[in-house]
Amino acid sequence: MEKKKIAILAGDGIGPEIMNEALKILAVIQRKYKVEFEYKHALVGGAAWGKYKNHLPEVTLEVCRNCEAILFGSVGGPVQEQNTEKWRGVEVNSLLGLRKAFGLYANLRPAKLYPSLSFASSLRKDIAEKGFDLLVVRELTGGIYFGQPKGRKGQGDEEYAFDTMNYSRKEIERIAHVAFRAAQKRRKKVTSIDKANVLTTMVFWREVVDNIAKKYPDVEYEPMYVDNAAMQLTREPSQFDVMLCGNMFGDILSDESAAIAGSLGMLPSASLAESTFGMYEPSGGSAPDIAGQGIANPIAQILSAAMMLKYSFDMPEAAEKIEEAVEKVLNNGYRTADIWQEGKKKVGTLDIGQLIAENIVT
Ligand code: NAD
């Protein structure tokens, strides 16, 4: 049987706890789908600092190079210790380091509000109760965050600062293809987010995406200004399927969609390279406030593993079975503390992982 090699970077805080539950789920998938996963564990973040004085040591990069995907937990220490040697720059060093090392240019962040969890959303009740299920596809390595030149000049009243936004045709085309292909596997709609009424880069963005859209006649396509999109997300999020965004707009709108979806503990993400290689991680952080207590919600980590099956290992059915199991456990009233409400059954990290594992029906 062919082995699929996965780098397991559990990291800090709740990372190792929620990672264990994802591995529990993958064990079920191995049995049911007759695949074999080979795990290569490596240190990252504060966990790596203790041994290597480096948040992303070469040994960890080497492990990742020898694998087909990275399943990542989270990194970071308590917020009040951010400026200590151990934790300073940990997120940037670990995450940006991995993005750079593996050319991870496409960030996929699904945001789903399960009707049974509508109480956790910041949306108005009648809007939340309709639920939504959208995917933000964000370009991750270009745009204004990386454009050159950038800097500060002058002094006193004359002092000014500047950034540069640019996108090449190739950069826009490859992220647009990711969005349209993702839409083909979902509800077949792409909304491309831009600011083509003001920015030249965005006029170009719209032109290029318009052309790519013609290659996907089975996918409904509409461009939308970013200010309108931010508003539509709070008014009628169920209208969106795939939202295609440049780096900065994607950063903002994916956080907005996470907020309206409720708990951070529910949201997975994927960062993909041009090949099938990808890194998969929860959208939340290391949650030091609850680490080691056995109460963290492992669902984001479990759904990140499901995304890995879908995008790196071409196992969309197995991914769907995991998503269905999660939904079933929630519908049966089981909740971790972060999504608990009166009348529901409160369970810990291990228990909800076990329940999801038992509910994977193939
Ligand atoms: P956080 O996401 O870790 O926590 C914010 C709040 O959400 C906390 O109250 C936490 O308990 C809760 N939460 C998050 N994930 C949860 C889960 N799975 N189950 C239950 N509750 C959950 O954000 P923060 O507190 O701002 O940051 C803590 C540390 O995490 C910092 O060091 C920060 O730099 C780091 N961080 C790392 C990543 C990453 O690794 N990708 C992302 C964000 C923050």
Side-chain angles (χ1 to χ4, degrees):
M1 204 183 325
E2 190 204 347
K3 282 187 185 167
K4 297 186 186 304
K5 287 190 193 161
I6 306 168
I8 304 291
L9 312 189
D12 306 312
I14 60 169
E17 299 169 51
I18 57 178
M19 183 66 81
N20 278 341
E21 301 315 300
L23 295 178
K24 214 185 253 178
I25 301 305
L26 289 175
V28 177
I29 297 297
Q30 285 200 94
R31 278 201 307 279
K32 300 211 178 213
Y33 284 86
K34 313 251 177 305
V35 287
E36 202 175 327
F37 300 123
E38 187 178 334
Y39 305 120
K40 306 276 186 194
H41 293 259
L43 296 173
V44 71
W49 184 269
K51 190 164 177 190
Y52 301 103
K53 289 278 179 284
N54 186 336
H55 293 130
L56 183 61
E58 177 54 32
V59 279
T60 297
L61 284 169
E62 188 56 21
V63 164
C64 297
R65 278 186 211 111
N66 289 317
C67 288
E68 293 154 74
I70 303 170
L71 193 55
F72 188 97
S74 53
V75 292
V79 175
Q80 64 277 17
E81 291 176 30
Q82 296 289 10
N83 277 328
T84 60
E85 202 192 13
K86 179 176 177 185
W87 297 114
R88 199 179 307 125
V90 59
E91 247 183 281
V92 173
N93 296 342
S94 312
L95 291 165
L96 290 193
L98 285 162
R99 280 179 198 165
K100 214 167 148 194
F102 295 98
L104 305 173
Y105 72 95
N107 187 222
L108 273 58
R109 273 179 62 176
K112 181 168 177 172
L113 178 60
Y114 300 86
S116 60
L117 295 184
S118 59
F119 75 94
S121 168
S122 56
L123 290 173
R124 211 173 62 206
K125 194 164 177 276
D126 58 313
I127 301 173
E129 276 169 355
K130 287 189 201 147
F132 61 84
D133 179 0
L134 61 87
L135 173 70
V136 177
V137 173
R138 168 187 169 196
E139 201 287 327
L140 207 53
T141 52
I144 195 165
Y145 290 179
F146 296 98
Q148 293 295 338
K150 58 169 75 202
R152 291 172 72 143
K153 283 198 174 155
Q155 280 184 345
D157 286 350
E158 305 298 312
E159 188 175 10
Y160 66 100
F162 56 98
D163 294 279
T164 301
M165 180 185 262
N166 57 38
Y167 265 119
S168 68
R169 180 180 298 281
K170 184 177 171 271
E171 281 175 315
I172 302 168
E173 283 181 351
R174 69 177 182 173
I175 194 71
H177 282 297
V178 172
F180 280 94
R181 284 198 299 263
Q184 282 180 319
K185 292 183 193 159
R186 295 172 46 97
R187 298 195 313 280
K188 299 192 169 51
K189 182 176 176 191
V190 169
T191 308
S192 175
I193 310 302
D194 63 41
K195 190 72 186 167
N197 48 343
V198 179
L199 299 168
T200 313
T201 329
M202 291 287 109
V203 173
F204 184 53
W205 175 281
R206 186 174 288 204
E207 235 173 75
V208 175
V209 179
D210 282 354
N211 275 326
I212 297 295
K214 293 186 188 125
K215 298 184 198 276
Y216 297 87
D218 55 329
V219 177
E220 188 190 335
Y221 162 66
E222 83 173 320
M224 188 182 279
Y225 296 138
V226 63
D227 38 354
N228 186 25
M231 186 173 64
Q232 293 299 331
L233 269 175
T234 63
R235 276 199 175 156
E236 200 197 334
S238 57
Q239 72 185 279
F240 295 112
D241 179 20
V242 174
M243 299 177 85
L244 164 62
C245 310
N247 204 343
M248 180 166 63
F249 296 160
D251 189 4
I252 299 165
L253 293 185
S254 60
D255 270 13
E256 184 184 352
S257 47
I260 59 174
S263 171
L264 271 176
M266 301 289 299
L267 300 172
S269 78
S271 302
L272 308 178
E274 285 198 64
S275 61
T276 56
F277 189 92
M279 177 164 86
Y280 303 87
E281 58 173 322
S283 293
S286 58
D289 53 333
I290 57 164
Q293 299 175 31
I295 58 170
N297 186 345
I299 291 179
Q301 188 78 62
I302 289 169
L303 293 175
S304 299
M307 288 187 89
M308 175 180 76
L309 298 179
K310 194 187 288 182
Y311 292 104
S312 282
F313 299 139
D314 197 22
M315 297 175 66
E317 190 198 301
E320 231 163 77
K321 296 294 174 193
I322 297 173
E323 289 159 11
E324 282 168 16
V326 167
E327 197 146 2
K328 204 159 152 203
V329 169
L330 293 174
N331 286 341
N332 288 342
Y334 294 100
R335 305 288 155 80
T336 42
D338 55 315
I339 51 170
W340 181 80
Q341 76 186 132
E342 205 59 45
K344 303 295 177 194
K345 294 164 250 188
K346 198 188 271 186
V347 288
T349 313
L350 295 174
D351 294 326
I352 202 148
Q354 187 59 34
L355 284 161
I356 294 168
E358 285 164 8
N359 276 282
I360 297 176
V361 186
T362 54

Coordinates of all heavy atoms in Angstrom, one line a residue, residues 97-141:
G97 N 7.9 31.7 7.5 CA 9.0 30.9 7.1 C 8.5 29.7 6.3 O 9.1 29.3 5.2
L98 N 7.5 29.0 6.7 CA 7.0 27.8 6.0 C 6.3 28.2 4.7 O 6.5 27.6 3.6 CB 6.0 27.1 6.9 CG 6.6 26.2 8.0 CD1 5.6 25.9 9.0 CD2 7.3 25.0 7.4
R99 N 5.6 29.3 4.7 CA 4.9 29.8 3.4 C 6.0 30.1 2.4 O 5.8 29.7 1.2 CB 4.2 31.1 3.7 CG 2.8 30.9 4.3 CD 2.2 32.2 4.6 NE 1.1 32.1 5.5 CZ 0.5 33.1 6.2 NH1 0.9 34.3 5.9 NH2 -0.5 32.9 7.0
K100 N 7.1 30.7 2.8 CA 8.2 31.1 1.9 C 8.9 29.8 1.4 O 9.1 29.7 0.2 CB 9.1 32.0 2.6 CG 9.7 33.0 1.8 CD 10.4 34.1 2.6 CE 11.6 34.6 1.8 NZ 12.5 35.4 2.6
A101 N 9.2 29.0 2.3 CA 10.0 27.8 2.0 C 9.3 26.9 1.0 O 9.9 26.2 0.2 CB 10.3 27.0 3.3
F102 N 7.9 26.9 1.1 CA 7.2 25.9 0.2 C 6.3 26.6 -0.8 O 5.5 26.0 -1.5 CB 6.4 25.0 1.1 CG 7.3 24.1 1.9 CD1 7.5 24.4 3.2 CD2 7.9 23.0 1.3 CE1 8.4 23.6 4.0 CE2 8.8 22.2 2.1 CZ 9.0 22.5 3.4
G103 N 6.5 27.9 -1.0 CA 5.8 28.6 -2.1 C 4.3 28.5 -1.9 O 3.5 28.3 -2.8
L104 N 3.8 28.7 -0.6 CA 2.4 28.5 -0.4 C 1.7 29.8 -0.7 O 1.6 30.7 0.1 CB 2.2 28.1 1.1 CG 3.0 26.9 1.6 CD1 2.9 26.7 3.1 CD2 2.5 25.7 0.8
Y105 N 1.1 29.9 -1.9 CA 0.6 31.2 -2.4 C -0.9 31.3 -2.3 O -1.5 32.4 -2.5 CB 1.0 31.4 -3.8 CG 0.3 30.5 -4.8 CD1 -0.9 31.0 -5.4 CD2 0.7 29.2 -5.0 CE1 -1.6 30.2 -6.3 CE2 0.0 28.4 -5.8 CZ -1.1 28.9 -6.5 OH -1.8 28.0 -7.3
A106 N -1.6 30.2 -2.0 CA -3.0 30.3 -2.0 C -3.5 29.9 -0.6 O -3.3 28.8 -0.1 CB -3.6 29.3 -3.0
N107 N -4.3 30.8 0.0 CA -4.8 30.5 1.4 C -6.3 30.3 1.3 O -7.0 31.1 0.7 CB -4.5 31.7 2.3 CG -4.8 31.5 3.7 OD1 -5.4 32.4 4.4 ND2 -4.5 30.4 4.2
L108 N -6.7 29.2 1.7 CA -8.2 28.8 1.7 C -8.7 28.8 3.1 O -8.3 28.0 3.9 CB -8.3 27.4 1.0 CG -8.4 27.3 -0.5 CD1 -7.2 27.9 -1.1 CD2 -8.6 25.9 -0.9
R109 N -9.7 29.7 3.3 CA -10.3 29.7 4.7 C -11.8 29.5 4.6 O -12.5 30.5 4.2 CB -9.9 31.0 5.4 CG -8.6 30.8 6.2 CD -8.1 31.9 6.9 NE -9.0 32.4 7.9 CZ -8.7 33.4 8.8 NH1 -7.6 34.0 8.6 NH2 -9.6 33.8 9.7
P110 N -12.3 28.3 4.8 CA -13.7 28.1 4.8 C -14.3 28.8 6.1 O -13.7 28.7 7.1 CB -13.9 26.6 4.9 CG -12.6 26.0 4.9 CD -11.6 27.1 5.1
A111 N -15.5 29.3 6.0 CA -16.2 29.8 7.2 C -17.6 29.3 7.1 O -18.3 29.6 6.1 CB -16.2 31.3 7.3
K112 N -18.0 28.5 8.0 CA -19.3 27.8 7.9 C -20.0 28.1 9.3 O -19.4 27.9 10.3 CB -19.1 26.3 7.7 CG -20.4 25.6 7.6 CD -20.1 24.2 7.1 CE -21.3 23.3 7.1 NZ -21.1 22.1 6.4
L113 N -21.2 28.6 9.2 CA -22.0 28.7 10.4 C -23.1 27.6 10.4 O -24.0 27.7 9.5 CB -22.7 30.1 10.4 CG -23.6 30.3 11.7 CD1 -22.8 30.2 13.0 CD2 -24.2 31.7 11.6
Y114 N -22.9 26.7 11.2 CA -23.9 25.6 11.3 C -25.1 26.2 12.0 O -25.0 26.9 13.0 CB -23.3 24.5 12.2 CG -22.1 23.9 11.7 CD1 -20.8 24.4 12.0 CD2 -22.1 22.7 10.9 CE1 -19.7 23.8 11.6 CE2 -20.9 22.1 10.5 CZ -19.7 22.7 10.8 OH -18.6 22.2 10.3
P115 N -26.3 25.9 11.4 CA -27.5 26.5 12.0 C -27.6 26.2 13.5 O -28.0 27.0 14.3 CB -28.6 25.8 11.2 CG -28.0 25.5 9.9 CD -26.6 25.2 10.2
S116 N -27.1 25.0 13.9 CA -27.2 24.6 15.4 C -26.3 25.5 16.2 O -26.4 25.5 17.5 CB -26.8 23.1 15.6 OG -25.5 22.9 15.1
L117 N -25.3 26.2 15.6 CA -24.4 27.1 16.4 C -24.7 28.6 16.2 O -23.8 29.4 16.4 CB -23.0 26.8 16.1 CG -22.5 25.4 16.4 CD1 -21.0 25.3 16.1 CD2 -22.7 25.1 17.9
S118 N -25.9 28.9 15.6 CA -26.1 30.3 15.2 C -26.0 31.2 16.4 O -25.7 32.4 16.2 CB -27.5 30.4 14.5 OG -28.5 30.0 15.4
F119 N -26.2 30.7 17.6 CA -26.1 31.6 18.8 C -24.7 32.2 19.0 O -24.6 33.2 19.6 CB -26.6 30.8 20.1 CG -25.5 29.9 20.5 CD1 -24.6 30.2 21.5 CD2 -25.4 28.6 20.0 CE1 -23.6 29.4 21.9 CE2 -24.4 27.7 20.4 CZ -23.5 28.1 21.3
A120 N -23.7 31.4 18.5 CA -22.3 31.9 18.7 C -21.9 33.0 17.7 O -20.8 33.6 17.9 CB -21.4 30.7 18.6
S121 N -22.7 33.2 16.7 CA -22.3 34.2 15.7 C -22.6 35.6 16.2 O -23.5 35.9 17.0 CB -23.2 33.9 14.4 OG -23.0 35.0 13.5
S122 N -21.8 36.6 15.6 CA -22.1 38.0 16.0 C -23.1 38.6 15.1 O -23.4 39.7 15.2 CB -20.7 38.7 15.8 OG -20.3 38.6 14.5
L123 N -23.7 37.8 14.2 CA -24.7 38.3 13.3 C -26.1 38.4 14.0 O -26.3 37.8 15.0 CB -24.9 37.3 12.1 CG -23.8 37.2 11.1 CD1 -24.1 36.1 10.1 CD2 -23.6 38.5 10.4
R124 N -26.9 39.3 13.4 CA -28.3 39.4 13.9 C -29.0 38.0 13.8 O -28.7 37.3 12.9 CB -29.1 40.4 13.1 CG -30.1 41.1 13.8 CD -30.7 42.2 12.9 NE -31.3 41.7 11.8 CZ -31.5 42.3 10.6 NH1 -31.0 43.5 10.5 NH2 -32.1 41.7 9.6
K125 N -29.8 37.7 14.8 CA -30.3 36.3 15.0 C -31.0 35.8 13.7 O -30.7 34.7 13.3 CB -31.3 36.4 16.1 CG -31.8 35.0 16.6 CD -32.4 35.2 18.0 CE -32.9 33.8 18.5 NZ -34.2 33.5 18.0
D126 N -31.8 36.6 13.1 CA -32.6 36.1 11.9 C -31.6 35.8 10.7 O -31.9 34.9 9.9 CB -33.7 37.1 11.5 CG -33.1 38.5 11.1 OD1 -32.3 39.0 11.9 OD2 -33.4 39.0 10.1
I127 N -30.5 36.5 10.6 CA -29.5 36.3 9.6 C -28.7 35.0 9.9 O -28.5 34.2 9.1 CB -28.6 37.5 9.4 CG1 -29.4 38.7 9.0 CG2 -27.5 37.2 8.3 CD1 -28.6 40.0 9.0
A128 N -28.3 35.0 11.2 CA -27.5 33.8 11.6 C -28.2 32.5 11.5 O -27.6 31.5 11.1 CB -27.0 34.0 13.1
E129 N -29.5 32.5 11.8 CA -30.3 31.3 11.7 C -30.3 30.7 10.3 O -30.5 29.5 10.2 CB -31.7 31.5 12.3 CG -31.6 31.4 13.8 CD -32.9 31.8 14.5 OE1 -33.8 32.3 13.8 OE2 -33.0 31.7 15.7
K130 N -30.1 31.5 9.3 CA -30.1 30.9 7.9 C -28.8 30.1 7.7 O -28.7 29.4 6.7 CB -30.2 32.1 6.9 CG -31.5 32.7 6.8 CD -31.6 33.6 5.6 CE -32.7 34.7 5.8 NZ -32.4 36.0 5.2
G131 N -27.8 30.4 8.5 CA -26.5 29.7 8.3 C -25.8 30.2 7.1 O -26.4 30.9 6.2
F132 N -24.5 29.8 6.9 CA -23.8 30.1 5.6 C -22.6 29.2 5.5 O -22.2 28.6 6.5 CB -23.4 31.6 5.5 CG -22.4 32.0 6.6 CD1 -21.1 31.8 6.5 CD2 -22.9 32.7 7.7 CE1 -20.2 32.2 7.5 CE2 -22.1 33.1 8.7 CZ -20.7 32.9 8.6
D133 N -22.1 29.1 4.3 CA -21.0 28.1 4.1 C -20.2 28.7 2.9 O -20.6 28.6 1.8 CB -21.6 26.8 3.7 CG -20.5 25.8 3.4 OD1 -19.3 26.1 3.5 OD2 -20.9 24.6 3.1
L134 N -19.1 29.5 3.3 CA -18.3 30.1 2.2 C -16.9 29.8 2.4 O -16.4 29.3 3.4 CB -18.6 31.6 2.3 CG -18.2 32.4 3.5 CD1 -16.8 32.9 3.5 CD2 -19.1 33.6 3.7
L135 N -16.1 30.1 1.3 CA -14.7 29.8 1.3 C -14.0 31.1 0.8 O -14.2 31.5 -0.3 CB -14.4 28.7 0.3 CG -12.9 28.4 0.1 CD1 -12.3 27.8 1.3 CD2 -12.8 27.4 -1.1
V136 N -13.1 31.6 1.6 CA -12.3 32.8 1.2 C -11.0 32.2 0.6 O -10.3 31.5 1.2 CB -12.0 33.7 2.3 CG1 -11.1 34.9 1.8 CG2 -13.2 34.3 2.9
V137 N -10.8 32.5 -0.7 CA -9.5 32.1 -1.4 C -8.7 33.4 -1.5 O -9.0 34.3 -2.2 CB -9.8 31.6 -2.8 CG1 -8.4 31.3 -3.5 CG2 -10.5 30.2 -2.7
R138 N -7.6 33.4 -0.7 CA -6.8 34.6 -0.5 C -5.4 34.4 -1.2 O -4.7 33.5 -0.8 CB -6.6 35.0 0.9 CG -5.6 36.0 1.3 CD -5.4 36.1 2.8 NE -4.2 36.9 3.1 CZ -3.7 37.0 4.3 NH1 -4.1 36.3 5.3 NH2 -2.6 37.7 4.5
E139 N -5.0 35.4 -2.0 CA -3.6 35.3 -2.5 C -2.7 35.7 -1.4 O -2.9 36.7 -0.7 CB -3.5 36.3 -3.7 CG -2.3 36.1 -4.6 CD -1.0 36.4 -4.1 OE1 -0.9 37.4 -3.2 OE2 0.0 35.7 -4.4
L140 N -1.6 34.9 -1.2 CA -0.9 35.0 0.1 C 0.5 35.6 -0.1 O 1.1 35.9 0.9 CB -0.8 33.6 0.6 CG -0.7 33.4 2.1 CD1 -1.8 34.2 2.9 CD2 -0.8 31.9 2.5
T141 N 1.1 35.7 -1.3 CA 2.5 36.0 -1.4 C 2.7 37.3 -2.2 O 3.9 37.6 -2.5 CB 3.3 34.8 -2.0 OG1 2.7 34.5 -3.2 CG2 3.3 33.7 -1.1

